[in-house]
Amino acid sequence: MKGRYLRLAASGAALWLTGVTLTGCGAVPGLSGDNEVTLRVVAADYGDNPQNSSAAYWKDLATAFEKDNPGVKVEVSVYSWSEVDAKVAAMVKAGKAPDIAQIGAYADYAEAGKLYTADELLSVKTEADFLAPLADAGKVRRVQYGMPFVASTRLLFYNTKLLGDAGIIPKDGSTPWQPKSWADVEAAAKKLKGAGVPTPFALPLGREEAQAETMMWMLSGGGGYTDNEEAYAIDSPENVKTFEFLRDRMVGQGLTGPVEPAKLDRQAAFDAFTRGEVGMLNGHPTLLKQAAGKGVKFGMVAMPTADGADHSTMGVADWVMAFKNGHKKEAGKFLDQLYTAKNVTTFTHQYDLLPVTTSGYRAMESANGGPAAQLRTFLTALPNSRLYPAGKKSWAQVSEDIKQNIGKAVQPGGQPAKVLEQIADSARKADGEK
């Protein structure tokens, strides 16, 4: 999650990739038939080096589609996450929008009337296969324009050695930690601090992904960014109490380490965890490999809640959309193929992400061993998760406001109610709410 909203699993944003164009089946410009249709697809790269670039996945997909659909060529341009959204925006501005884009935001394009709706594109089978919370998150005014591509949820990671040394769990790790409430987290953090752990609980509210850490805590406190009517409720009483807890009980008692939360980014927190300096933190699937690669033994549990009662967990998703370029039929067929269980799980397995369809979910759920088994805990939380309010065209602006200001709410002497009210007022204004 490198600063854009709804990025999954830190995705290993491949900054090396300036743009790779793939034309399936070796089509040669100028030699195609007069009636041939060319689908132009822009996609984001989830790899972190040339060897695991997403380009190979899209090339295989395009080649297979062209074989099954004579007369249709597919050209895919793959860009790093640092530039893919801007590339698409520039194409749209120039009047050369791609037919299909797999990027991070869709609401602005939907509001401008530039996108096909999901039911205009997809077969009934494909459309019905999306997991409900993800399909709902792709809607603008109850109409789905954004089609989820991949998803993830968040869990609380803990270092089993550090918790064992602090007497929170047996040293041999025979009994997993099972916290239910924030009081359990606070008590464990105090023991970790007493045992000399540099950062008992990492609280990254820096610019990289403050909007995600904020939402996780809001949900576990019974609040969230929006109310049941999807109106902004950032300054709700529940959210204010959440940040008062963080200010007073976590930051105020020195349980969040030497770096001020407002200056701590997600990856820096992950790196500290893999060095054995962090007892607990909220994380996504990318941390699985990072921690295992450093030999860190860890456990994962659902995020404890304010009162120990069950609340929604946070889910995140990236999006696919189709622009109104006159290729509705061809784009729909390509998307139907993209969302087959085989293609969905091929991609999610490669990048430790979660499937967005029921068929893909079941395929991963039934898998034994390997990455699928490791991800099962994340997968279990997905169907009941809540996502960012991505259907609001104001969300990008609101997310940026949160990144810049939410850290002030947990500073010693900070005023959570005032900070949240200011963010909420700006959000409502940006969204046209009264």
Side-chain angles (χ1 to χ4, degrees):
M1 315 270 297
K2 303 290 184 184
R4 74 179 185 88
Y5 67 93
L6 294 179
R7 176 169 307 175
L8 291 176
S11 301
L15 302 181
W16 61 270
L17 190 64
T18 57
V20 177
T21 300
L22 309 168
T23 304
C25 294
V28 180
L31 298 182
S32 300
D34 293 338
N35 297 323
E36 184 177 87
V37 171
T38 298
L39 280 180
R40 293 182 300 120
V41 180
V42 173
D45 191 30
Y46 288 76
D48 56 8
N49 60 66
Q51 285 68 47
N52 71 352
S53 168
S54 304
Y57 170 84
W58 288 101
K59 180 179 181 180
D60 290 345
L61 191 70
T63 299
F65 180 79
E66 290 178 351
K67 182 178 179 181
D68 293 339
N69 295 273
V72 181
K73 296 296 180 182
V74 182
E75 296 178 353
V76 186
S77 298
V78 179
Y79 299 98
S80 71
W81 270 119
S82 65
E83 60 180 346
V84 67
D85 288 318
K87 288 283 187 182
V88 172
M91 293 175 189
V92 173
K93 185 176 181 179
K96 298 179 180 179
D99 294 290
I100 295 171
Q102 184 269 299
I103 52 177
Y106 66 86
D108 282 356
Y109 300 127
E111 287 279 0
K114 296 183 180 298
L115 303 180
Y116 290 117
T117 63
D119 63 1
E120 288 179 308
L121 294 160
L122 305 174
S123 67
V124 173
K125 179 181 178 182
T126 300
E127 188 178 5
D129 199 25
F130 290 126
L131 292 171
L134 302 179
D136 288 343
K139 295 178 180 179
V140 174
R141 296 188 180 90
R142 304 184 185 281
V143 177
Q144 185 179 358
Y145 296 90
M147 291 158 279
F149 179 60
V150 285
S152 183
T153 54
R154 302 302 173 90
L155 295 173
L156 178 64
F157 283 68
Y158 62 89
N159 183 308
T160 55
K161 182 181 186 303
L162 295 181
L163 267 66
D165 291 344
I168 300 166
I169 60 175
K171 281 196 172 185
D172 62 5
S174 58
T175 303
W177 189 42
Q178 297 179 320
K180 297 297 182 182
S181 69
W182 290 351
D184 295 334
V185 173
E186 179 187 350
K190 287 180 177 178
K191 289 183 177 180
L192 289 165
K193 182 181 180 182
V197 174
T199 303
F201 193 106
L203 184 66
L205 294 176
R207 284 186 51 81
E208 181 182 1
E209 210 190 28
Q211 82 285 0
E213 188 73 17
T214 294
M215 185 172 177
M216 282 183 275
W217 282 98
M218 284 181 170
L219 290 175
S220 65
Y225 284 129
T226 57
D227 59 22
N228 291 334
E229 301 301 321
E230 295 305 313
Y232 280 118
I234 296 169
D235 55 350
S236 70
E238 293 83 1
N239 291 341
V240 172
K241 289 180 180 178
T242 292
F243 278 86
E244 288 176 344
F245 169 82
L246 291 174
R247 178 196 63 187
D248 300 336
R249 310 305 299 177
M250 300 301 289
V251 178
Q253 296 191 93
L255 304 179
T256 55
V259 180
E260 181 182 341
K263 297 179 181 179
L264 180 63
D265 282 339
R266 170 74 59 200
Q267 191 56 54
F270 280 10
D271 291 343
F273 186 81
T274 65
R275 293 194 300 267
E277 300 169 2
V278 173
M280 303 171 281
L281 82 170
N282 292 314
H284 48 60
T286 295
L287 189 54
L288 292 171
K289 284 187 176 179
Q290 292 181 9
K294 296 290 186 177
V296 175
K297 302 298 183 182
F298 59 89
M300 301 178 295
V301 294
M303 176 69 173
T305 62
D307 55 5
D310 290 338
H311 294 302
S312 297
T313 58
M314 189 183 93
V316 286
D318 286 332
W319 303 99
V320 172
M321 63 216 68
F323 287 86
K324 292 181 177 179
N325 289 346
H327 297 154
K328 179 174 65 176
K329 180 180 178 181
E330 294 81 5
K333 284 187 176 181
F334 183 79
L335 293 170
D336 280 337
Q337 179 165 316
L338 174 68
Y339 285 111
T340 62
K342 177 183 177 182
N343 288 326
V344 167
T345 55
T346 294
F347 193 89
T348 55
H349 285 177
Q350 182 174 356
Y351 297 105
D352 286 343
L353 299 171
L354 302 181
V356 298
T357 59
T358 299
S359 59
Y361 177 93
R362 289 172 177 166
M364 179 175 281
E365 192 176 39
S366 63
N368 294 316
Q374 289 184 311
L375 290 169
R376 192 166 288 122
T377 306
F378 290 93
L379 191 67
T380 301
L382 185 59
N384 296 316
S385 64
R386 286 182 62 181
L387 285 78
Y388 297 131
K392 290 179 174 289
K393 65 178 181 180
S394 60
W395 172 241
Q397 178 181 332
V398 174
S399 176
E400 183 63 26
D401 194 8
I402 292 166
K403 294 175 188 177
Q404 291 181 5
N405 295 300
I406 197 64
K408 300 173 185 176
V410 301
Q411 293 173 342
Q415 302 180 53
K418 183 176 180 180
V419 172
L420 293 174
E421 182 181 6
Q422 290 173 341
I423 295 173
D425 286 346
S426 296
R428 295 181 183 116
K429 182 177 180 180
D431 203 51
E433 298 176 13
K434 295 182 178 179

